[in-house]
Amino acid sequence: MTALTICMLGGTGFIGHALAARLSSAGHRIDILTRAGERHRDMLVLPGVVLTDGDVHNPEFLRRQFKGVDVVINLVGILNERGRSGAGFSHAHAQLPAKIVGACRAENVRRLLHMSALGAQPQAPSHYLRSKALGEDAAHAAAPDVHVTSFRPSVVFGARDGFLNRFAALLKFTPVFPLACPNARLQPVHVEDVARAFADSIARHGAFGARYDLCGPKIYRLRDIVAYIAALQGRRVRILGLNDRLSRLQATLFDFVPGKPFSLDNYRSLTLDSVCTGANALQSVFGIEPTSMEQVAPSFLALR
């Protein structure tokens, strides 16, 4: 593939690290927009990667940074907001993609890759999923001026993740673990598989306008995932699965805990299975054999 100039938003996060490394190894130049470049200088060891400080919600800043760019990649996402109204989710997931589209059109950027989420739909139970649906539609509204591809992964795991690692940290402190939504069904997908799908789609004409579901090879209950983490760490923990009423109560209480380890909006998202009900694009489109948790999790969880 010809070396391209790529601008990434949300590129300093977990998925951004993996994708930036993959794009760098392919010889591309990657400009990562961030508000905190000093905290992410480790990324500068990647050839072709630069960090640019600025406010991605400022349309003029976006236009300046998109000038001469071949591809824009939007990975911006939050799992919780400061309040409870949905305004924070709308700001990050819906309003920002609309601004990105405007800047792409203004600077004649022809390619946009957008991160959505499995289960994103206008009538979804949570602010997170509803705002993701709005952002996905806002991104695709750029057609035909911009060739857009969106990706809808289930929960993403890997050595830097905030999913498996968060449970691993919490399991250290109690012999009894009260688990909300224990029967929620998830199909975790490895971060490197997601990064590969993003990178492979850039020059794939068949991906223009597509919305791809990305899943791992296996469906788990949340209870089974937590039990697997405990087993990897050699911890004897009793997992106490909470019923729906108690799950909601726990979420309501944790909504007021600093850092929001679990929130009412998280609970609402978990009431909807995060599994591929149709084609898993990793296999059907990109020819990627999905990586299971069992293949990689022991390398970073068993040592904790």
Side-chain angles (χ1 to χ4, degrees):
M1 184 190 297
T2 303
L4 301 171
T5 299
I6 299 171
C7 188
M8 292 178 63
L9 296 82
T12 57
F14 163 53
I15 297 173
H17 272 77
L19 181 53
R22 183 170 291 273
L23 295 173
S24 170
S25 67
H28 301 304
R29 180 187 182 277
I30 307 104
D31 182 9
I32 299 176
L33 309 186
T34 176
R35 289 192 185 209
E38 283 297 319
R39 293 211 306 263
H40 302 286
R41 294 185 64 82
D42 61 298
M43 299 192 75
L44 296 178
V45 302
L46 297 172
V49 169
V50 297
L51 299 173
T52 300
D53 283 293
D55 179 9
V56 298
H57 290 276
N58 183 330
E60 290 303 314
F61 173 69
L62 291 180
R63 287 189 60 170
R64 289 196 302 271
Q65 300 314 127
F66 289 2
K67 195 176 296 292
V69 165
D70 299 302
V71 184
V72 169
I73 301 176
N74 177 31
L75 300 175
V76 173
I78 59 172
L79 291 177
N80 279 305
E81 60 180 359
R82 289 183 179 177
R84 296 164 194 86
S85 67
F89 287 113
S90 176
H91 184 64
H93 297 159
Q95 296 170 32
L96 179 58
K99 294 173 185 176
I100 291 170
V101 164
C104 284
R105 282 176 166 154
E107 298 304 325
N108 199 33
V109 177
R110 299 289 292 164
R111 191 76 175 102
L112 170 62
L113 307 184
H114 175 77
M115 176 64 83
S116 185
L118 198 62
Q121 51 185 294
Q123 304 305 318
S126 65
H127 290 304
Y128 172 81
L129 291 172
R130 290 196 297 272
S131 63
K132 279 289 191 178
L134 290 172
E136 186 179 317
D137 286 344
H140 282 271
D145 303 323
V146 184
H147 302 306
V148 183
T149 305
S150 57
F151 299 84
R152 314 170 87 204
S154 183
V155 61
V156 183
F157 71 91
R160 295 172 176 263
D161 73 36
F163 174 58
L164 299 183
N165 284 293
R166 171 169 288 191
F167 280 115
L170 292 172
L171 286 167
K172 289 181 178 181
F173 301 108
T174 177
V176 179
F177 191 81
L179 179 65
C181 307
N183 295 316
R185 296 168 73 240
L186 309 170
Q187 200 166 349
V189 59
H190 190 222
V191 64
E192 293 296 339
D193 294 341
V194 173
R196 182 176 164 188
F198 265 81
D200 289 358
S201 74
I202 290 176
R204 186 186 290 263
H205 285 237
F208 294 176
R211 309 184 190 215
Y212 292 132
D213 292 351
L214 306 179
C215 290
K218 296 174 63 176
I219 296 173
Y220 307 81
R221 294 182 306 165
L222 183 58
R223 174 197 293 273
D224 298 328
I225 294 174
V226 176
Y228 174 65
I229 295 169
L232 276 181
Q233 298 180 312
R235 301 187 190 282
R236 298 185 64 181
V237 178
R238 181 186 174 198
I239 299 170
L240 183 62
L242 303 181
N243 62 26
D244 185 70
R245 183 176 63 83
L246 291 176
S247 295
R248 185 181 180 90
L249 176 61
Q250 184 191 74
T252 302
L253 295 174
F254 279 20
D255 233 339
F256 295 92
V257 173
K260 288 193 180 184
F262 187 57
S263 71
L264 195 54
D265 205 73
N266 297 154
Y267 157 80
R268 289 172 179 145
S269 290
L270 284 171
T271 63
L272 190 69
D273 288 342
S274 184
V275 302
C276 282
T277 56
N280 181 359
L282 283 182
Q283 295 168 304
S284 64
V285 176
F286 299 102
I288 299 170
E289 189 61 34
T291 306
S292 70
M293 286 197 307
E294 291 82 359
Q295 287 175 264
V296 297
S299 68
F300 63 90
L301 287 181
L303 302 178
R304 290 182 68 93

